[in-house]
Every structure is written in structure tokens, then in C-alpha cells.
């Protein structure tokens, strides 16, 4: 009897959790399976960020977006990713000129959603930010983080990089107990061999979103659409023309499934 009651409670609980999920799609048709209860928080953040972008553009700045892996996944560590995001934002702004350019860092604490938010919830928010109200975007460029950006963060020189990462991990783990859950070798291999948007679910979605925005810009203005595309940089260099039009495997994008 008790076992049956526990099973019934479990089934009801799972049904309740499932009922809270819904599919939400954006201006350019990107859909995510998100938490219904976070809708208000997502919309509030989107409104705040759009006003922030408008304020920066009103200052005459070119406005960019930083695409970077942030999650603790596959050997990556959120704390290191967040630090790299701050450093990369500062470096891009210094390179372009702080009075002339501003970069939106999605890892900034003020843009966080309530606890329990998933990658899909965040991507619904960032897709709406990237697309803008009309799907054509208010952004001027997007910077996709690559291996050299992480190499700068860790001080890698191209000589004994994996060994240097092991030493970095050992030192960091002395003051960061949670880092130990990542694992020394996983950390070393991720940041030495894979750290970039290439291995990020969210960044894959962001690449496809930017590609769709540029396609829409070309279609809206056939005469100057090519020149009106958003600039795309990867690992510090402009992306090749063919890549602008090439989609990648989706990350978090997708509808809710039974």
C-alpha cells in the first residue's frame, strides 16, 4: 500500500513538472522547451537588456554580443568561463576603442535567471535579445570565443600547455572546493583541447541565430543586404564569407517532447 502511494505521488509530481514546460518560439522561428514559471523573469531581462543596448547605441557605439561557453560541462568550469568572458569583453573593447564599441557579456551576474533555469530558458532569453523585436537585431557584431581567448586567460604559451593547465588546476583547487568535482584531467583536456564555442550548446544556437538574422537582413534589403549583415568574429578574426551562411548542429533549440 505504501509503495503504491509513493508511486502515485511520484507520477503526480512528474506530471506537474512536465505541465510546467511549454514550447516558446521567437521572431525568427527558434523554439525552446522552457519553464512556464520563468516567463516573467525572461521578459523582464529581455526588456532591461534591450534598453541597455539602446542606451549604448545612443552614445554612438558599435554594439556587440559575446558568445562563450559558460556552463560547467565536459570539464569546463563556470567560474573560469565567467572570468574569461570578462577579460575577452575588455580586450575587444580595448581593441576597437572603448568610446566606439561596447560588448554585451551574457555571463554577467545581472543577467542571471532564477535558480533552476536551464540552458533552454537562457537561450530563449538570449535569442530574443539577439533577434531584437523584429528579428533583424539591434546588434552590430557578434564575437565567438575561440581557443586563443582561453589561452590568454590561462597564460598558455604553446609549450607544455596541458602541464601548465594541470598546475593551474592544482593551485585553483586549493581555494575552490567545488572545482574538485570537475576533475583534474577533465579540466586539463577541456581547456587544452576543446575550449571554444565549437563545443558549446548555447553557442551553436547563437551561431544559427546570427546566420538567420543575416539571411533576413539580406532578404529585407536586396540591394545592400550583404553590406548590412552583422559582423562575425571567431577567435579574434573575421569569419570567412561562406561561414556566414552555414548552419551548425543545434544546441538547446527544440520543442517540448512527451
Amino acid at each position: 500500500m505504501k509503495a503504491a502511494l509513493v508511486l502515485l505521488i511520484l507520477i503526480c509530481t512528474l506530471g506537474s513538472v512536465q505541465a510546467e514546460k511549454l514550447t516558446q518560439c521567437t521572431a525568427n522561428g527558434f523554439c525552446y522547451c522552457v519553464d512556464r514559471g520563468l516567463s516573467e523573469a525572461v521578459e523582464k531581462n529581455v526588456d532591461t537588456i534591450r534598453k541597455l543596448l539602446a542606451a549604448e547605441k545612443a552614445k554612438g557605439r558599435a554594439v556587440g554580443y559575446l558568445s562563450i561557453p559558460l556552463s560547467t560541462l565536459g570539464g569546463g568550469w563556470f567560474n573560469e568561463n565567467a572570468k574569461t568572458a570578462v577579460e575577452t569583453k575588455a580586450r575587444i573593447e580595448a581593441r576597437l576603442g572603448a568610446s566606439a564599441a561596447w560588448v554585451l557579456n551574457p555571463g554577467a551576474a545581472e543577467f542571471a535567471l532564477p535558480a533552476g533555469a536551464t540552458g533552454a530558458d537562457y537561450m530563449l532569453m538570449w535569442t530574443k535579445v539577439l533577434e531584437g523585436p523584429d528579428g533583424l537585431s539591434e546588434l552590430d557584431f557578434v564575437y565567438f570565443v575561440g581557443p586563443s581567448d582561453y589561452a590568454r586567460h590561462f597564460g598558455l604559451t604553446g609549450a607544455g600547455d596541458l602541464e601548465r593547465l594541470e598546475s593551474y588546476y592544482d593551485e585553483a583547487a586549493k581555494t575552490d572546493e567545488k572545482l574538485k568535482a570537475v576533475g583534474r584531467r577533465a579540466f586539463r583536456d577541456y581547456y587544452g583541447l576543446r575550449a571554444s564555442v565549437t563545443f558549446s550548446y548555447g553557442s551553436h544556437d547563437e551561431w544559427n541565430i546570427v546566420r538567420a538574422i543575416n539571411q533576413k537582413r539580406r532578404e529585407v534589403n536586396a540591394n545592400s543586404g550583404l553590406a548590412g549583415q552583422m559582423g562575425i568574429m571567431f577567435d579574434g578574426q573575421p569569419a570567412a564569407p561562406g561561414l556566414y551562411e552555414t548552419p551548425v548542429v543545434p544546441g538547446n533549440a527544440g520543442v517540448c517532447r512527451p
Side-chain angles (χ1 to χ4, degrees):
M1 183 68 177
K2 289 183 178 179
L5 180 59
V6 170
L7 180 60
L8 178 61
I9 292 173
L10 179 60
I11 291 172
C12 291
T13 301
L14 290 173
S16 175
V17 171
Q18 180 62 32
E20 293 174 356
K21 293 288 185 179
L22 78 160
T23 298
Q24 286 196 20
C25 301
T26 65
N28 290 343
F30 289 90
C31 300
Y32 302 94
C33 184
V34 298
D35 185 338
R36 185 190 301 272
L38 293 176
S39 294
E40 185 176 342
V42 168
E43 291 305 322
K44 182 178 179 181
N45 273 11
V46 169
D47 182 62
T48 297
I49 296 167
R50 283 179 176 170
K51 289 177 180 176
L52 179 60
L53 294 177
E56 293 298 330
K57 290 182 77 70
K59 297 173 185 176
R61 289 182 170 125
V63 175
Y65 177 92
L66 184 69
S67 179
I68 181 170
L70 286 168
S71 302
T72 296
L73 187 67
W77 179 226
F78 176 83
N79 291 355
E80 297 298 337
N81 295 333
K83 292 175 188 176
T84 305
V86 171
E87 294 164 2
T88 305
K89 166 183 164 67
R91 188 168 59 252
I92 297 169
E93 290 173 348
R95 170 182 169 181
L96 299 177
S99 66
W102 182 84
V103 176
L104 174 61
N105 172 16
E110 58 265 35
F111 305 139
L113 291 172
T118 66
D121 296 311
Y122 273 99
M123 280 314 305
L124 174 64
M125 180 177 79
W126 291 121
T127 302
K128 290 188 173 189
V129 169
L130 282 163
E131 290 181 341
D134 57 3
L136 292 169
S137 188
E138 300 163 298
L139 294 159
D140 300 297
F141 68 99
V142 177
Y143 184 104
F144 290 89
V145 171
S148 68
D149 297 304
Y150 277 102
R152 289 188 182 93
H153 169 67
F154 288 107
L156 305 183
T157 63
D161 286 346
L162 295 184
E163 295 170 340
R164 186 180 293 268
L165 285 166
E166 289 176 338
S167 298
Y168 186 100
Y169 178 94
D170 292 340
E171 285 300 312
K174 291 178 182 178
T175 56
D176 189 348
E177 285 292 325
K178 294 181 180 179
L179 175 58
K180 295 177 181 178
V182 175
R184 186 174 188 257
R185 178 169 181 177
F187 182 94
R188 178 201 73 184
D189 289 353
Y190 177 82
Y191 287 110
L193 305 173
R194 296 191 298 277
S196 81
V197 295
T198 306
F199 300 92
S200 166
Y201 286 103
S203 294
H204 270 226
D205 287 329
E206 287 162 352
W207 180 273
N208 288 334
I209 294 159
V210 173
R211 187 205 66 78
I213 292 168
N214 277 339
Q215 178 178 337
K216 193 168 186 176
R217 287 187 178 189
R218 295 194 302 270
E219 292 170 350
V220 167
N221 192 333
N223 293 325
S224 61
L226 283 173
Q229 295 179 111
M230 273 193 292
I232 300 176
M233 287 184 278
F234 169 68
D235 204 30
Q237 300 296 323
L243 297 180
Y244 272 49
E245 301 166 26
T246 305
V248 295
V249 175
N252 295 288
V255 300
C256 294
R257 305 205 179 273

